[in-house]
């Protein structure tokens, strides 16, 4: 009741991104966010497929950028560089993609 419907989808994406970044797991984020996204979509009338996509996309983004993610650690080891150096080189590109995605989710929610 306190959040405008147009803000729910982008906020879901951002929340999933933060959870995945801080935990380093996309699948764990899916397990947390999909049970939130589906009932929220059913109760608000927002499109279910977009809500689930926001939860999945946020989980993938956060996991990709997380310095404690297994895929990040393995990628940096395979490239022969420090984990934090790898994260810092990937983060600007991923943030641009996440920003565009959040704006597109905002546009989908408004339309």
């Amino acid at each position: 009741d306190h959040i405008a419907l147009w803000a729910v989808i982008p906020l879901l994406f951002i929340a999933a991104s933060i959870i995945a970044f801080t935990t380093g797991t996309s699948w764990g984020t899916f397990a947390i966010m999909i049970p939130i996204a589906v009932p929220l979509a059913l109760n608000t009338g927002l499109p279910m497929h977009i809500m689930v996509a926001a939860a999945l996309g946020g989980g993938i983004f956060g996991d990709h950028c997380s310095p404690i993610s297994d895929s990040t650690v393995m990628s940096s080891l395979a490239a022969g560089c420090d984990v934090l150096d790898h994260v810092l080189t990937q983060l600007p590109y991923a943030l641009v993609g996440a920003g565009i995605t959040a704006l597109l989710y905002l546009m989908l929610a408004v339309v």
Side-chain angles (χ1 to χ4, degrees):
D1 290 340
H2 301 292
I3 298 175
L5 283 180
W6 57 265
V8 172
I9 298 172
L11 287 176
L12 185 70
F13 173 75
I14 292 167
S17 299
I18 292 169
I19 291 170
F21 184 83
T22 57
T23 61
T25 174
S26 56
W27 285 96
T29 303
F30 301 159
I32 294 168
M33 296 306 291
I34 290 175
I36 293 171
V38 170
L40 192 58
L42 291 173
N43 290 328
T44 59
L46 291 169
M48 175 88 62
H49 60 286
I50 295 175
M51 294 285 284
V52 172
L56 295 175
I60 295 297
F61 162 73
D63 180 54
H64 175 76
C65 296
S66 177
I68 58 174
S69 171
D70 57 345
S71 58
T72 302
V73 172
M74 289 191 312
S75 296
S76 67
L77 288 174
C81 68
D82 184 56
V83 174
L84 290 179
D85 289 338
H86 177 69
V87 169
L88 292 175
T89 59
Q90 299 300 312
L91 200 56
Y93 300 107
L95 284 172
V96 169
I100 292 169
T101 302
L103 287 174
L104 289 173
Y105 282 135
L106 181 63
M107 288 172 42
L108 283 172
V110 171
V111 172

